[in-house]
Amino acid sequence: MPDTAEPLHEHSTRAPAPRTPSTSDGETSRARDCVELRVHGVSGGQAEELLDVEPAMRVGGDRLAGFFRWRRKPDTETLPGMRREIFAWGNLTSGASSRAFWLLLMPFMMLNVAYWMRPGRMDDGQTGTRRVANIAYGAGVRLLALSLTMLIVLAAAGVGMDLVAWQCGGLGEECVRARPWLAFLASASSPLSAPGWSLLVGAVLPAAVVVVLWRLSRRTAADYEVVTGPVPPRHSEDAPLSHPDFWRNSEIMARLRSAHIAIAVSTVAALLLLPPLLHDLGGRGAPLPGSPGLWTAGAVLAGLLALVALLSTVSVLVPGKDARWNARADRLCRVLRDTILGLTAVIAVYTVWPRPGWVVEGRLPGSGTMLNSLFAVQGTLVVILLVAALVLFAVDRPHRHTAMRGLAGPSTAALGTLLGGAFSAALVYQGSLWLSGCGSMDAPEADCLALSPPTAYSWLQLAFAFQAIIVLIVVVVLALWLRGAVRAQLPKVTALYSRSVRDRRTWDIARSRAMGRMTEALPKILGALLLPVVPLVGLALYSIVTGRLVAGPMDAPMAVAGGFQGVAQDALDAMVAMGSLLGGAALVALVWIGRSAYRDRPTRQAVGAVWDVGTFWPRAAHPLAPPSYAERAVPQLTARVRRMAGENTGVVLSGHSQGSVLAAATVWQLPEECADRVSLITHGSPLDRLYSRYFPAYFGPVAFTDLNGRVASWRNLWRVTDAIAGPVRRSGPDGEEVVVPTVEPLPDPRSYDAPPGEARRPEILGHSDYTGDPAYAEAMWQVMPAGRPSGAPVPETYQGP
């Protein structure tokens, strides 16, 4: 693996003495005319803690046992006289208890992230192959996201409509004896036991899922809505995040939400319509005698439903750059959504229409075919994404640090789709086991209900088992690699600190430095996790070529093993059973984590940290994904900094970790006249090491060069032991790459031995506590912009607390 996290220059263990600010009246006034605006990283924190305004401060020891004294005013200032503000945005992702259950929406989030991972540039005026590949990539991700919504609804319908209403209800008294609480659906004396009414009751579950997703998306859109500033930023094609409307995504998201809700509702409507329509047609395509009006009405409803669903699918492909065109498309999508809602109501009446002699047999008609067809479409879309990404990488030639040669986006989309399928399979498969009372679908017990989920889910259970084996192999390989990396770091640590290799401290530092390089393994890990997708995509493409898109041709173990018997068959059966068990355990774990996060704030913050990384981008692909906090955070930061700079107050934007990404996005949104009054400090920043590599269309050396020209000064602090941060590379005058100062990484730990007055050695900080490092104060003094003339009054609006 490339050693990109290594320092460009090693240095001694002695901490550099920070430059002591002069106390002359002019320089003190300059400091007082500046504000240090800190933006925290993932999982947030309390505002008081971030501001360092607690009455007591630790002056020695550590978090377990330390020495404290009353805090003085100078203790809360990085530089004398410079006010400090904190932008605390953690509650946008980890504040409300209910947001812990966003874990279930992780597949949606991954599809949305994949949309922004395209390897091509986003400049205007694209033509030819570039334009075709860009359109294919965006359309492929949006259609894949739409298919994922349909997959989740099919899973809910598989439990409510297929297993409960159709199969269990069709078993009659046998179902009543096993599950007495279902007597209102299965008992012959119940008016709801008729197939049509039973289906309508079973549709409540998928309908509830649709309503919850719809309501959640609409509510978060209202909570995150902001207004734009009066002065737009200077837009540059080198920096797509400088577009004035980049963080105004409400109209596009509303249009996509209408389309997704329309497809979700049409999925439920199709499952309500197909069983009675097939009955009216006699099951073989010929109408039953004596019911011409009924089957004709059903055929008309089917045609209308297919037409409106097709238009809703096409609507997600409409580009949203032109405001007027986007507004018209939004109105059209709302009309299509409302039309499908009306059609569903009519289909419900058609479904419950009395049909003498209509009896339930087998699985729910149409559900297996829809599921198999959906998997085939998803496999085709993944192939389209792979081809589009390869073309974009070859034609556009993004910077040389791009991860996976441009295939990170399609890989993330495929992994999100696989995860959504695994969640769906676990839900249906475990639901069938619980409802039937069987220990296993492959070896049912004598007294359990004969329920049969779609056999396509068994393929996903098999993939889940393969995934578990791959994860174990990856963990073993990483452990072996880490062991070798630690040994490789030992000579560097001994040379750097002039200490013996036998000291445990030397090994601890070497291990931390090796851990700091673990991020370089992400592309290989992502590629390994995608291996189960290969047989699934192959199966889907084979189904398309051969036309064998039937509800359930055979069980997955039999399909794989073919004529092999004995050990091979037993092994495949065991893997399917293991996949079922792991899927159920994953669902239980998600529920447990959600419940713990609901009650416990630290757990909720840990869960929220996942969204801090994954929900930075606007919902341009999947509108039902967790909301983008940056859509609110960046405009808020921009408005605050613009006002301070407009009143001649210098601003030092200080961003840690994910906060540095928000700070950079804020600078790109500032008007041009703010450039000489705003400076930037990034510490522990993933701008280059993660965002530049995985989002090359929006971050990279060219974009960082543009960012550097929009601020008075920029310093970047990082450590070799930090697995997230690294040097930030920008393009030089001759096209070569140069590093944003500071070039050298910060020493970690600051000293090998315990400092005077302490009994413990300094801890290895890694990704944390950059603001406590002496180099931070030095960088603050170096970037401090000139404010208003000395002696000018300080506006009380911006006085710190």
Side-chain angles (χ1 to χ4, degrees), residues 36 38 49-59 68-82 84 771-772:
E36 176 192 1
R38 292 185 181 179
E49 174 188 355
L50 296 170
L51 282 168
D52 289 336
V53 295
E54 294 92 342
M57 69 173 292
R58 189 174 73 235
V59 294
F68 296 81
R69 64 170 165 79
W70 290 109
R71 187 181 297 277
R72 305 164 300 172
K73 182 178 179 182
D75 297 329
T76 64
E77 299 173 344
T78 305
L79 296 180
M82 175 177 280
R84 180 184 300 161
T771 56

Side-chain angles (χ1 to χ4, degrees), residues 62 67 85 158 165 210 231 258 264 290 331 346 383 415 478 486 508 565 601 604 658 748:
D62 56 19
F67 300 91
E85 288 188 4
V210 174
V231 182
S258 296
R331 287 193 295 269
V346 178
V383 173
L415 192 58
L478 286 178
V486 171
D508 290 341
Q565 302 295 327
R601 179 179 176 85
R604 187 160 65 248
Q658 191 68 16
D748 188 29

Side-chain angles (χ1 to χ4, degrees), residues 95-162:
S97 302
S98 60
R99 290 172 186 168
F101 293 97
W102 283 352
L103 280 172
L104 298 173
L105 302 183
M106 186 181 294
F108 294 174
M109 181 191 72
M110 296 179 69
L111 263 295
N112 192 65
V113 170
Y115 179 85
W116 301 98
M117 297 176 75
R118 68 184 72 202
R121 288 173 55 85
M122 294 303 297
D123 51 326
D124 296 329
Q126 297 181 4
T127 58
T129 305
R130 285 185 61 200
R131 179 176 176 82
V132 173
N134 235 324
I135 292 175
Y137 186 93
V141 175
R142 285 185 171 177
L143 289 176
L144 203 56
L146 195 65
S147 72
L148 201 56
T149 298
M150 188 176 176
L151 181 63
I152 299 301
V153 174
L154 278 174
V159 175
M161 300 179 70
D162 188 7

Side-chain angles (χ1 to χ4, degrees), residues 668-755:
W668 272 315
Q669 288 291 309
L670 289 173
E672 192 170 3
E673 57 267 21
C674 296
D676 61 339
R677 299 187 183 97
V678 178
S679 296
L680 182 64
I681 293 182
T682 52
H683 40 104
S685 173
L687 278 171
D688 189 291
R689 201 169 183 188
L690 293 180
Y691 279 81
S692 176
R693 297 182 184 185
Y694 293 93
F695 304 96
Y698 302 91
F699 294 91
V702 175
F704 294 147
T705 300
D706 179 90
L707 179 65
N708 189 68
R710 294 173 184 260
V711 292
S713 186
W714 181 8
R715 294 293 183 273
N716 179 58
L717 308 179
W718 59 287
R719 302 186 181 107
V720 178
T721 54
D722 191 341
I724 303 298
V728 178
R729 301 172 177 86
R730 60 183 178 88
S731 299
D734 301 327
E736 77 281 2
E737 292 182 356
V738 297
V739 177
V740 173
T742 304
V743 174
E744 294 185 352
L746 305 182
D748 188 29
R750 273 290 178 181
S751 63
Y752 193 94
D753 296 315

Side-chain angles (χ1 to χ4, degrees), residues 288-573:
L288 288 174
S291 59
L294 203 55
W295 71 261
T296 302
V300 171
L301 288 175
L304 291 175
L305 183 64
L307 176 61
V308 180
L310 177 62
L311 293 176
S312 299
T313 301
V314 173
S315 68
V316 304
L317 307 179
V318 177
K321 292 186 176 181
D322 184 82
R324 290 181 300 176
W325 176 248
N326 191 63
R328 294 169 184 170
D330 183 27
R331 287 193 295 269
L332 175 62
C333 288
R334 282 189 277 115
V335 169
L336 293 174
R337 180 200 65 200
D338 296 341
T339 302
I340 281 190
L341 289 173
L343 273 175
T344 303
V346 178
I347 289 173
V349 175
Y350 173 80
T351 301
V352 300
W353 198 267
R355 291 176 175 83
W358 186 16
V359 294
V360 173
E361 293 180 355
R363 297 168 180 162
L364 180 65
S367 61
T369 301
M370 290 176 65
L371 192 62
N372 290 338
S373 301
L374 187 62
F375 287 151
V377 170
Q378 288 178 336
T380 304
L381 291 174
V382 168
V383 173
I384 291 175
L385 285 181
L386 288 172
V387 174
L390 288 173
V391 172
L392 285 175
F393 184 82
V395 174
D396 251 353
R397 305 304 302 172
H399 60 85
R400 60 188 179 91
H401 303 292
T402 302
M404 300 179 68
R405 300 185 63 84
L407 296 181
S411 301
T412 303
L415 192 58
T417 306
L418 179 62
L419 188 61
F423 282 175
S424 302
L427 177 66
V428 177
Y429 206 82
Q430 295 301 315
S432 65
L433 288 178
W434 171 76
L435 190 62
S436 66
C438 300
S440 171
M441 290 288 103
D442 297 325
E445 300 172 4
D447 57 345
C448 67
L449 295 176
L451 302 183
S452 177
T455 53
Y457 284 130
S458 62
W459 287 101
L460 291 172
Q461 301 288 1
L462 189 61
F464 213 102
F466 281 134
Q467 192 72 279
I469 296 174
I470 290 172
V471 169
L472 290 177
I473 295 175
V474 167
V475 170
V476 172
V477 171
L478 286 178
L480 294 175
W481 174 87
L482 182 61
R483 184 178 180 180
V486 171
R487 293 185 177 274
Q489 288 289 336
L490 286 174
K492 300 179 182 180
V493 176
T494 55
L496 184 62
Y497 292 95
S498 301
R499 294 304 175 95
S500 172
V501 72
R502 295 186 178 90
D503 196 321
R504 178 181 175 183
R505 173 77 161 176
T506 302
W507 283 81
D508 290 341
I509 297 174
R511 184 175 295 104
S512 297
R513 292 168 67 94
M515 291 290 293
R517 298 177 54 205
M518 291 293 286
T519 310
E520 315 310 321
L522 280 179
K524 295 182 176 63
I525 294 175
L526 186 59
L529 293 178
L530 283 172
L531 290 179
V533 175
V534 177
L536 292 180
V537 172
L539 174 66
L541 295 178
Y542 175 77
S543 300
I544 293 176
V545 172
T546 60
R548 297 178 62 184
L549 288 176
V550 295
M554 62 182 66
D555 292 333
M558 293 298 297
V560 175
F564 292 102
Q565 302 295 327
V567 177
Q569 184 63 55
D570 292 341
L572 290 172
D573 289 342

